């Protein structure tokens, strides 16, 4: 992947961190950029697998009755789809790929604090993925509990639950190691002059995320271990027959898994705060408010977990408190959206593809967020709990939110990571197709849920058929768009025009160095004097 | 934890403070892991206070106390090992690590006898004896096995880590002015000790 004959410039593709060349120079690398790219390839692969499973489920649902598969297969598929999308795609996605690649660069560092630990996290991630895969093929069959592994079914199910959840445990370990690495990096490796309040907002978001990874993941770790112990020895901790309490499992599960949704969304919000200033040529509005709201979200996000359990049997006091707190998390999220929009006000907007992806995000994520409030209020949740409304809601937040920003980040940083430009026209078409496909696929699910279609069913009543059909057609458009995007990006990789060091006119540190960056990013560690989004630097940068 | 010490082939950069921050963060996750268990314990103790008290009488406070003393002493020896290498006394440091390892093994041996005594009395998850006990007692013993088991697992991991440190000490990879690895290993060992300090009263003393 050398950068053409006309350049003598060194970049991390032709500089190895070890004595090897070729594939081993990648597999054993400790360079944060190469590790980020290895994550990219692995995560993208799992994402595609997840999408294909999604397509299969949608095909089954195209009409009432059995189409392709029996109920048990459908159960295994939605579980697998959920596990892949959550643990293998969306949680590691932005931090492990773009965090790894850009956190050190934006800080003005040569690498993360623990480069070898970083490589270890990658292999722990792969090991987790491998275990999950293995659990599909061993006797017993693929796990069918749904990605939430609820007790008591997860103890009774005869499928390979233990191995599959152990895979989630291992993946959690990888996530913890990455979190520790990033927090330490931010504290120890900021370039001279880079005070906390001069850090780009992507770093703030990744930093807050890293803290959540550290604080929340151990709790799911112990919960998973307990389920495994329960399956192996029948200790009784979650078994009412022996005095245990199955609801306790739900609490422990959501104490992690609700903060986990912020592991998913915070880095995405960080990316948005990078892209918007660059394409409106204006410093971000309310820098501190955005930075602090990340921490506020991380904090309040801890106190709302039981909103997943409004129908599980809790006291009314507990329910209204959790409902109230849930509404409160909407505030810092709202702060961000208003600040983004205010940044655009009177800016000179240049709607390049990354910016258009962000527009997609704001629209889809807002729908996801607002319907979250519908689910957060007690009266409506009783009606909508465990229906397609929930399925629509979390796809809008996770996929419409973080998933969309995954593509935004890919389009924003692609030139920097690969040193190539993609076709602007095709990228714009993709944004529109994505939008259309997405809403066709998921919006009907809101209505279906409202009408009473329960989630996790492979069959349904005839009155749901028209909307289910629309949804399936949407899945073809959306999946088609995703393959289209991967296609033109690969084409750009092979045949694209060379990218300059600063194709979008950004000012954070990654735009000060060549595309793709050299092995240790900076010849000399820079001294930071400007605010992160001070566009008056652009002139000096041209002369550099 | 201290991968920064060799760094990349190109740049060698060492950051002892960074390594320690990393270790403390890791210990924090361990505390949270056990924190989840303590939460479960508290939850069931509140519900079944009387049964917990009765069941706790079954445990052998003698062995528990002995093990507490052993672990506390081993924390001392590991601290001495660090102090020794800081003063450049490799021999004493090696000696202290060896002692720590011996204490760890003693702890595990006691644990083994304790558990096998319980098991021979038919007290283990799923046994007929257990199933006849009231729910609160079943939970107590369940938690006892899970929590002390998880702790024992950490002792074993600690032994492996200290073993590696021992080798590195002897190979002179840990030296007077480069011993952050040993310090981090010591921190881990103190954590293992600390968790026991909480387990001990919860299971053996509140009767
Ligand atoms: C083309 C892409 C996708 C399609 C066609 C799709 C479709 C589906 C369908 C049909 C279900 C099952 C609904 C049910 O029967 O209850 C489902 C569940 C789910 N999806 Fe997706 N999805 C896609 C992408 C994603 C993405 C990107 C994520 C996460 C970021 C995601 C996360 C989930 C989760 C967590 C579940 C719940 C699984 C469970 O119930 O245990 N999906 N999806
Ligand atoms: Cu939640």
């Amino acid at each position: 992947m050398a950068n053409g004959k006309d350049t003598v410039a060194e970049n991390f593709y032709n500089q190895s961190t070890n004595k090897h060349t070729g594939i081993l120079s990648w597999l054993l690398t400790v360079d944060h950029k190469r590790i980020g790219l290895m994550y990219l390839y692995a995560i993208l692969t799992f994402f595609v697998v997840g999408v294909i499973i999604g397509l299969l489920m949608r095909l089954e649902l195209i009409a009432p009755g059995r189409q392709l598969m029996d109920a048990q297969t459908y159960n295994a598929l939605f579980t697998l789809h959920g596990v892949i999308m959550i643990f293998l795609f969306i949680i590691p996605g932005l931090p492990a790929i773009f965090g790894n690649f850009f956190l050190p660069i934006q800080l003005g560092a040569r690498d993360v604090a623990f480069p070898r630990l970083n490589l270890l996290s990658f292999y722990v991630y792969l090991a987790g993925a491998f275990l999950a895969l293995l659990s599909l093929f061993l006797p017993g069959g693929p796990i069918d509990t749904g990605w939430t592994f609820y007790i008591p079914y997860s103890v009774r199910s005869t499928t390979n639950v233990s191995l599959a959840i152990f895979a989630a445990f291992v993946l959690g370990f990888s996530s913890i190691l990455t979190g520790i690495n990033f927090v330490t990096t931010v504290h120890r490796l900021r370039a001279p002059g880079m005070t906390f309040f001069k850090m780009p907002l992507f770093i703030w978001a990744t930093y807050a995320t890293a803290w959540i990874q550290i604080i929340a993941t151990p709790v799911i770790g112990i919960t998973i271990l307990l389920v495994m112990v329960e399956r192996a020895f029948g200790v009784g901790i979650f078994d009412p027959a022996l005095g245990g309490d199955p609801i306790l499992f739900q609490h422990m599960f959501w104490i992690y898994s609700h903060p986990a949704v912020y592991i998913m969304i915070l880095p995405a919000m960080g990316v948005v705060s990078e892209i918007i200033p660059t394409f409106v040529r204006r410093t971000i509005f309310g820098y501190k408010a955005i930075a602090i709201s990340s921490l506020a979200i991380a904090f309040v996000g801890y106190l709302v977990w039981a909103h997943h359990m409004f129908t599980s049997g809790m006291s009314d006091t507990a329910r209204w408190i959790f409902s109230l707190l849930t509404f409160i998390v909407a505030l810092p999220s709202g702060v961000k959206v208003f600040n983004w929009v205010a940044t655009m006000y009177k800016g000179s907007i240049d709607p390049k593809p990354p910016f258009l992806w962000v527009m997609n995000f704001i629209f889809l994520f807002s729908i996801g967020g607002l319907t979250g409030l519908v689910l957060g209020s007690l009266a409506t949740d009783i009606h909508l709990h465990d229906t397609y409304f929930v399925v629509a809601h979390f796809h809008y937040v996770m996929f419409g939110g973080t998933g969309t920003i995954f593509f935004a980040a890919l389009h924003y940083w692609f030139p920097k990571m690969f040193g190539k430009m993609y076709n602007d026209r095709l990228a714009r078409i993709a944004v529109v197709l994505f939008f259309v496909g997405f809403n066709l696929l998921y919006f009907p699910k809101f209505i279906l849920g409202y009408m009473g279609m329960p989630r996790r069913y492979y069959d349904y009543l005839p009155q749901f058929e028209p909307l289910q059909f629309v949804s399936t057609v949407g899945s073809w458009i959306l999946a088609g768009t995703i393959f289209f995007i991967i296609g033109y990006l690969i084409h750009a990789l092979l045949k694209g025009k060379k990218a300059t060091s600063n194709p979008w006119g950004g000012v954070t540190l990654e735009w000060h160095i060549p595309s793709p960056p050299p092995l240790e990013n900076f010849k000399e560690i820079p001294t930071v004097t400007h605010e992160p989004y001070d566009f008056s630097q652009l002139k000096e940068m041209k002369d550099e | 934890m201290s991968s920064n010490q060799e760094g990349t082939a190109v740049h060698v950069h060492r950051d002892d403070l960074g390594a320690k921050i990393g270790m403390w963060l890791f210990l924090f996750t361990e505390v949270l892991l056990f924190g989840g268990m303590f939460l479960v314990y508290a939850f069931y103790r509140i519900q079944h206070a009387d049964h917990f008290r009765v069941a706790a009488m079954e445990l052998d406070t003698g062995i528990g106390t002995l093990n507490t003393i052993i672990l506390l002493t081993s924390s001392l020896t590991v601290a001495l090992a660090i102090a020794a290498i800081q003063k450049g006394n490799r021999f004493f440091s090696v000696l202290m690590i060896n002692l720590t390892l011996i204490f760890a093994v003693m702890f595990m041996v006691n644990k083994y006898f304790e558990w096998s005594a319980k098991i021979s009395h038919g007290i283990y998850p799923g046994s007929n004896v257990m199933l006849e006990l009231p729910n609160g007692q079943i939970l107590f013993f369940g938690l006892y096995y899970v929590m002390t088991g998880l702790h024992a697992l950490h002792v074993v991991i600690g032994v492996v880590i200290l073993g590696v440190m021992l080798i590195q000490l002897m190979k002179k990879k840990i030296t007077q002015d480069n011993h952050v690895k040993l310090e981090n290993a010591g921190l881990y060992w103190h954590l293992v000790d600390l968790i026991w300090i909480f387990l001990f009263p919860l299971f053996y003393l509140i009767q």
Side-chain angles (χ1 to χ4, degrees):
Chain A
M1 268 196 215
N3 211 12
K5 290 179 214 88
D6 47 338
T7 42
V8 278
E10 303 227 296
N11 61 56
F12 73 97
Y13 289 104
N14 53 33
Q15 294 169 297
S16 175
T17 60
N18 49 39
K19 54 182 188 296
H20 305 285
T21 52
I23 188 80
L24 276 184
S25 77
W26 281 81
L27 295 179
L28 300 177
T29 186
V30 290
D31 177 30
H32 66 102
K33 298 181 286 304
R34 287 195 177 192
I35 295 175
L37 286 185
M38 291 199 292
Y39 268 117
L40 172 66
Y41 303 135
I43 288 175
L44 209 55
T45 310
F46 294 123
F47 175 63
V48 168
V49 174
V51 167
I52 291 171
I53 298 175
L55 281 175
L56 288 176
M57 285 191 290
R58 282 310 327 163
L59 271 183
E60 168 59 39
L61 294 167
I62 194 169
R66 183 192 155 127
Q67 310 299 320
L68 308 172
M69 58 186 86
D70 55 17
Q72 180 61 23
T73 314
Y74 188 82
N75 293 349
L77 281 190
F78 72 65
T79 307
L80 197 62
H81 171 79
V83 168
I84 290 180
M85 288 305 196
I86 301 277
F87 294 107
L88 291 174
F89 169 61
I90 208 98
I91 290 183
L94 291 167
I97 301 171
F98 300 104
N100 252 322
F101 202 108
F102 289 105
L103 178 107
I105 302 185
Q106 287 195 330
L107 279 176
R110 300 203 187 280
D111 208 313
V112 291
F114 309 118
R116 285 192 299 177
L117 188 66
N118 201 14
L119 184 65
L120 179 69
S121 326
F122 176 68
Y123 282 111
V124 173
Y125 170 82
L126 281 191
F130 174 76
L131 288 177
L133 211 70
L134 193 66
S135 79
L136 303 180
F137 299 109
L138 288 184
I143 174 175
D144 61 350
T145 60
W147 81 276
T148 45
F149 319 130
Y150 267 24
I151 293 271
Y153 185 64
S154 57
V155 170
R156 289 201 197 127
S157 170
T158 53
T159 56
N160 287 325
V161 175
S162 293
L163 191 60
I165 61 178
F166 185 64
F169 180 88
V170 173
L171 291 168
F173 198 64
S174 161
S175 178
I176 288 179
L177 294 182
T178 306
I180 291 177
N181 216 338
F182 285 1
V183 169
T184 315
T185 306
V186 169
H187 280 281
R188 296 296 297 161
L189 295 181
R190 277 170 289 127
M194 173 78 77
T195 56
F196 263 82
F197 284 108
K198 283 217 179 87
M199 296 193 310
L201 288 163
F202 178 62
I203 298 193
W204 266 103
T206 314
Y207 177 72
T209 310
W211 269 112
I212 310 179
Q213 285 172 296
I214 292 172
I215 297 176
T217 319
V219 183
I220 188 107
I222 190 72
T223 314
I224 284 175
L225 287 182
L226 284 177
V227 175
M228 287 168 65
V229 167
E230 206 56 57
R231 281 180 70 85
F233 303 108
V235 172
I237 289 176
F238 296 132
D239 182 353
L242 302 178
D245 189 347
I247 303 289
L248 187 61
F249 170 85
Q250 296 186 19
H251 280 292
M252 294 181 71
F253 181 83
W254 288 112
I255 285 177
Y256 164 77
S257 295
H258 186 83
V261 311
Y262 301 111
I263 298 182
M264 305 171 200
I265 198 65
L266 278 177
M269 292 172 156
V271 174
V272 173
S273 309
E274 293 299 313
I275 293 180
I276 288 183
T278 299
F279 292 95
V280 303
R281 289 287 181 281
R282 209 165 158 261
T283 187
I284 191 103
F285 184 84
Y287 169 88
K288 277 200 182 166
I290 296 186
I292 307 252
S293 65
S294 286
L295 294 182
I297 291 180
F299 177 72
V300 188
Y302 273 98
L303 308 174
V304 301
W305 74 86
H307 61 208
H308 297 271
M309 302 164 55
F310 286 153
T311 61
S312 305
M314 275 193 301
S315 78
D316 276 343
T317 322
R319 293 201 299 167
W320 75 252
I321 290 176
F322 277 112
S323 177
L324 180 72
L325 287 168
T326 301
F327 278 80
I328 290 176
V329 211
L331 294 178
S333 314
V335 165
K336 287 187 194 264
V337 174
F338 285 123
N339 278 311
W340 292 328
V341 177
T343 305
M344 290 177 223
Y345 180 65
K346 286 197 175 161
S348 75
I349 295 179
D350 181 10
K352 291 262 167 49
F355 185 81
L356 296 175
W357 277 105
V358 167
M359 292 301 101
N360 240 351
F361 161 85
I362 292 190
F363 189 83
L364 299 175
F365 184 69
S366 298
I367 295 184
L370 292 172
T371 52
L373 295 177
V374 176
L375 293 167
S377 59
L378 295 177
T380 38
D381 185 61
I382 303 296
H383 179 68
L384 295 171
H385 182 84
D386 256 349
T387 67
Y388 261 40
F389 194 89
V390 176
V391 177
H393 158 70
F394 66 65
H395 279 99
Y396 267 89
V397 229
M398 294 197 295
F399 195 3
T402 314
T404 306
I405 289 304
F406 176 80
F407 288 109
L410 200 57
H411 283 82
Y412 183 54
W413 280 315
F414 186 89
K416 182 56 66 184
M417 298 166 86
F418 298 101
K420 294 286 170 67
M421 297 301 285
Y422 50 82
N423 183 315
D424 190 89
R425 228 0 229 302
L426 297 183
R428 281 165 202 269
I429 295 173
V431 174
V432 176
L433 285 178
F434 186 94
F435 185 82
V436 173
F438 192 97
N439 286 302
L440 273 184
L441 168 55
Y442 296 117
F443 203 84
K445 286 187 157 75
F446 280 124
I447 307 168
L448 283 167
Y450 192 74
M451 288 160 67
M453 169 81 205
R455 71 187 278 203
R456 295 178 172 166
Y457 274 56
Y458 93 122
D459 192 7
Y460 50 84
L461 299 174
Q463 67 260 37
F464 298 136
E465 187 171 0
L467 285 171
Q468 289 277 18
F469 181 78
V470 174
S471 178
T472 299
V473 172
S475 76
W476 298 334
I477 300 179
L478 185 61
T481 313
I482 289 168
F483 292 120
F484 172 59
I485 295 170
I486 295 175
Y488 71 69
L489 288 183
I490 290 179
H491 181 82
L493 212 60
L494 303 175
K495 298 250 166 71
K497 278 207 311 259
K498 268 193 62 184
T500 60
S501 66
N502 191 3
W504 315 125
V507 289
T508 40
L509 284 177
E510 74 269 34
W511 306 114
H512 293 243
I513 57 175
S515 313
L519 178 55
E520 299 203 315
N521 307 337
F522 303 96
K523 279 207 195 70
E524 254 170 76
I525 296 287
T527 303
V528 180
T529 47
H530 292 275
E531 300 295 316
Y533 306 104
D534 175 0
F535 283 87
S536 65
Q537 312 169 56
L538 267 183
K539 257 219 183 114
E540 310 164 23
M541 286 170 69
K542 291 232 172 71
D543 310 331
E544 262 170 20
Chain B
M1 287 299 110
S2 41
S3 38
N4 53 341
Q5 289 184 358
E6 269 129 63
T8 62
V10 194
H11 79 274
V12 179
H13 126 123
R14 180 177 144 202
D15 178 6
D16 287 356
L17 185 59
K20 275 201 206 152
I21 294 180
M23 191 64 197
W24 276 105
L25 289 171
F26 179 71
L27 295 184
F28 189 39
T29 67
E30 289 277 10
V31 168
L32 284 160
L33 186 83
F34 278 94
M37 281 312 314
F38 285 121
L39 203 73
V40 175
Y41 178 95
F43 180 71
Y44 287 128
R45 172 140 211 138
I46 290 169
Q47 289 185 342
H48 305 277
D50 293 337
H51 289 149
F52 267 50
R53 217 167 286 134
V54 175
M57 307 232 225
E58 290 283 318
L59 297 190
D60 186 337
T61 315
I63 288 201
T65 314
L66 184 63
N67 261 348
T68 309
I69 295 171
I70 290 177
L71 267 195
L72 278 176
T73 321
S74 75
S75 246
L76 174 70
T77 50
V78 94
L80 286 176
I82 296 165
I85 196 70
Q86 279 168 346
K87 296 215 164 65
N89 190 342
R90 181 178 309 276
F91 173 76
F92 192 69
S93 187
V94 169
L95 185 71
M96 284 300 123
I97 297 283
N98 273 312
L99 261 183
T100 314
L101 288 172
I102 291 172
F103 283 131
V105 172
M106 278 163 69
F107 177 91
M108 290 305 288
V109 169
N110 280 340
K111 193 95 259 157
Y112 170 79
F113 283 118
E114 194 190 357
W115 274 34
S116 36
K118 288 268 141 358
I119 291 171
S120 69
H121 285 101
I123 297 182
Y124 54 87
S127 76
N128 293 332
V129 182
M130 273 276 262
L131 290 180
E132 273 165 28
L133 296 175
N135 283 345
Q137 296 201 29
I138 299 183
L139 284 174
F140 178 88
F141 287 116
L143 286 170
Y144 163 75
Y145 277 110
V146 173
M147 292 172 78
T148 58
L150 191 62
H151 176 262
L153 184 68
H154 279 75
V155 173
V156 173
I157 296 172
V159 167
V160 174
I161 294 177
L162 287 175
V164 174
M165 291 303 120
L166 186 64
I167 294 170
Q168 297 215 351
L169 253 180
M170 297 201 295
K171 283 192 176 160
K172 306 208 164 99
K173 284 202 174 146
I174 294 176
T175 58
Q176 180 166 11
D177 45 25
N178 188 359
H179 54 261
V180 66
K181 272 186 206 165
L182 186 60
E183 277 185 76
N184 278 345
L187 282 176
Y188 184 81
W189 192 252
H190 293 317
L191 175 91
V192 172
D193 190 14
L194 188 77
I195 288 169
W196 179 258
I197 299 296
F198 282 90
L199 292 178
F200 175 58
L202 289 182
F203 286 105
Y204 295 84
L205 292 187
I206 318 181
Q207 292 186 348

